Amino acid sequence: MRDQPARPRSSRRTLRTFAVCAIPAALAAVFLSCVGWLSPRLNARRIVNAFEATTTPHPGFRRNHAKGICVTGHFDSNGDGALLSRASVFAKGRYAVVGRLSIPGGDPGEDDAAATVRSLALRMTLPRGEEWRLAMNSTPVFPVRTPQALLEQLQADARDPRTGRRDPAKMQAFLDSHPEARAFRRFIEQHPPSSGYDNATYYGISAFQTIDAHGIRRFVRWEVVPDKPYRAVDAGDLRDPDFLFYDLSKSLRKGPLRWHLFMNVAMPGDTTDDSTRQWVSSPRRPRIDAGTLVIDRAQTQIDGACRDLAFDPTVLPDGIAPSADPLLAARSAAYAVSLQRRTSEEAAARARAH
């Protein structure tokens, strides 16, 4: 497997990969009833249908980030996060973690060489029955700002039902009409993908609110920074279509992997409802290291602990709240539809087998 020749990556395919990079796992159906962006013209089912139109059918798999690996470990909170939030996760202590590392796209057999983005999703189990779910990408911004723009992006990336091919002119027309996507493209061009899952930084992308013990609210964006030094992917890595899985498993045999969870606090002038705009790096920006994420085991996604988890970034403990970013509610609702579809497909397959 390791000495298979690398597959060429055209810029057209790269644009397709960018277009679907930000929706990770499918999520719980309860959110369908509580999001305000649903309408006859734009709703979660249309978003999921558009994702499905970008690839061939793969029943039982997630509609995006279909290829991934389950991981388990814990979060060691150092207590410093309590400066910003009263959330129980920031009390000093250790909290169990189930997660998933993945690449974009709806094909579970996708070649890892095609992916310019890595993604990390987490569920932290907290006291009093609370949970914190995070869905992060290795890019700090998203290509589009609104659910409507996301739908248009996916439609531009769709396969022709007759030929099974994409029309690159449609994607180019979309990009020409959405200048906000330039920041995402610029980041990708200037930051080659990491050589592995274990040496990538993962960003929450959207802003969230933290509420401290005195009720004071602040906007933050978080990122998870690896202890392992970044290395750009090279031709040697790309010879194996599953090098991300292989190298992660190899690294874990040597010992646990660690990342630090940082919270970056908004400054005057920072946008808090637009995922296409990155906050300016500044030495004056408050930045808190809240603790260490430790991953010590990996399992296949077929039978691993993450198999039936929905990593909805709006599942938050008391002390953290969503911002007004419209993508958060849209993601939550779309994940619910996706989860319902894949679990129904799995149930139907089991019924046929018996």
Side-chain angles (χ1 to χ4, degrees), residues 221 264-265 267 269-270 277-285:
R221 281 177 168 170
N264 300 296
V265 182
M267 298 172 62
D270 287 336
R277 296 174 61 184
Q278 188 175 3
W279 291 350
V280 175
S281 178
S282 170
R284 297 185 295 108
R285 182 180 303 283

Side-chain angles (χ1 to χ4, degrees), residues 85-130:
S85 172
R86 65 183 180 228
S88 57
V89 69
F90 298 126
K92 191 172 183 178
R94 176 168 291 187
Y95 307 98
V97 169
V98 173
R100 188 170 185 269
L101 288 153
S102 63
I103 59 174
D107 182 357
E110 182 69 272
D111 190 329
D112 288 349
T116 55
V117 174
R118 288 80 170 95
S119 298
L120 171 62
L122 302 172
R123 183 194 68 179
M124 297 187 189
T125 303
L126 308 177
R128 302 186 297 276
E130 290 188 308

Side-chain angles (χ1 to χ4, degrees), residues 5 7 9 29 34 157 170 208 211 244 261 281 296 302 350 353:
R7 301 180 186 177
R9 290 180 293 168
C34 64
D157 190 45
K170 290 184 178 180
F208 291 79
I211 305 99
L244 290 170
L261 173 63
S281 178
D296 52 26
I302 298 300
R350 287 195 297 269

Side-chain angles (χ1 to χ4, degrees), residues 44-353:
R45 295 187 182 279
R46 289 195 67 193
I47 293 286
V48 176
N49 290 345
F51 269 106
E52 292 176 348
T54 66
T55 187
T56 54
H58 298 283
F61 286 90
R62 301 169 194 262
R63 270 28 185 192
N64 192 26
H65 295 260
K67 184 179 184 180
I69 180 173
C70 295
V71 292
T72 53
H74 59 269
F75 176 63
D76 282 328
S77 176
N78 58 23
D80 290 347
L83 294 170
L84 298 177
S85 172
R86 65 183 180 228
S88 57
V89 69
F90 298 126
K92 191 172 183 178
R94 176 168 291 187
Y95 307 98
V97 169
V98 173
R100 188 170 185 269
L101 288 153
S102 63
I103 59 174
D107 182 357
E110 182 69 272
D111 190 329
D112 288 349
T116 55
V117 174
R118 288 80 170 95
S119 298
L120 171 62
L122 302 172
R123 183 194 68 179
M124 297 187 189
T125 303
L126 308 177
R128 302 186 297 276
E130 290 188 308
E131 292 184 0
W132 185 19
R133 303 196 185 192
L134 302 90
M136 300 172 286
N137 289 331
S138 58
T139 57
V141 290
F142 193 61
V144 294
R145 183 183 183 189
T146 66
Q148 179 62 43
L150 174 60
L151 178 63
E152 294 169 6
Q153 185 180 36
L154 293 169
Q155 290 172 335
D157 190 45
R159 294 173 181 261
D160 186 306
R162 295 170 299 175
T163 66
R165 298 178 180 176
R166 297 176 173 84
D167 183 351
K170 290 184 178 180
M171 179 56 72
Q172 190 58 55
F174 169 83
L175 294 172
D176 290 343
S177 64
H178 287 79
E180 72 273 18
R182 292 172 186 162
F184 179 87
R185 296 169 64 193
R186 187 164 52 249
F187 183 89
I188 293 292
E189 291 166 358
Q190 296 174 357
H191 298 81
S194 63
S195 61
Y197 284 133
D198 57 355
N199 63 348
T201 294
Y202 298 97
Y203 303 89
I205 302 178
S206 295
F208 291 79
Q209 292 185 72
T210 57
I211 305 99
D212 69 15
H214 305 288
I216 297 173
R217 293 176 177 260
R218 302 173 181 87
F219 285 98
V220 303
R221 281 177 168 170
W222 41 73
E223 60 186 274
V224 177
V225 181
D227 280 359
K228 191 170 183 177
Y230 162 83
R231 179 175 70 82
V233 69
D234 60 29
D237 300 314
L238 301 179
R239 285 197 295 266
D240 183 348
D242 302 305
F243 74 90
L244 290 170
F245 176 94
Y246 177 89
D247 290 345
L248 181 73
S249 300
K250 184 178 177 181
S251 292
L252 285 171
R253 286 197 293 270
K254 298 177 182 178
L257 301 170
R258 292 176 171 81
W259 289 259
H260 284 261
L261 173 63
F262 286 93
M263 294 193 289
N264 300 296
V265 182
M267 298 172 62
D270 287 336
T271 182
T272 59
D273 62 356
D274 186 348
S275 290
T276 68
R277 296 174 61 184
Q278 188 175 3
W279 291 350
V280 175
S281 178
S282 170
R284 297 185 295 108
R285 182 180 303 283
R287 177 177 167 86
I288 291 180
D289 181 347
T292 305
L293 169 67
V294 180
I295 298 298
D296 52 26
R297 293 186 60 200
Q299 310 88 27
T300 66
Q301 64 176 1
I302 298 300
D303 54 9
C306 74
R307 171 191 167 99
D308 297 320
L309 277 179
F311 295 99
D312 181 348
T314 66
V315 175
L316 304 165
D318 176 59
I320 307 176
S323 66
D325 187 333
L327 290 175
L328 287 173
R331 291 169 70 180
S332 187
Y335 298 169
V337 172
S338 180
L339 177 64
Q340 186 276 327
R341 289 186 185 182
R342 69 184 178 92
T343 53
S344 295
E345 291 160 356
E346 290 174 347
R350 287 195 297 269
R352 288 193 299 269

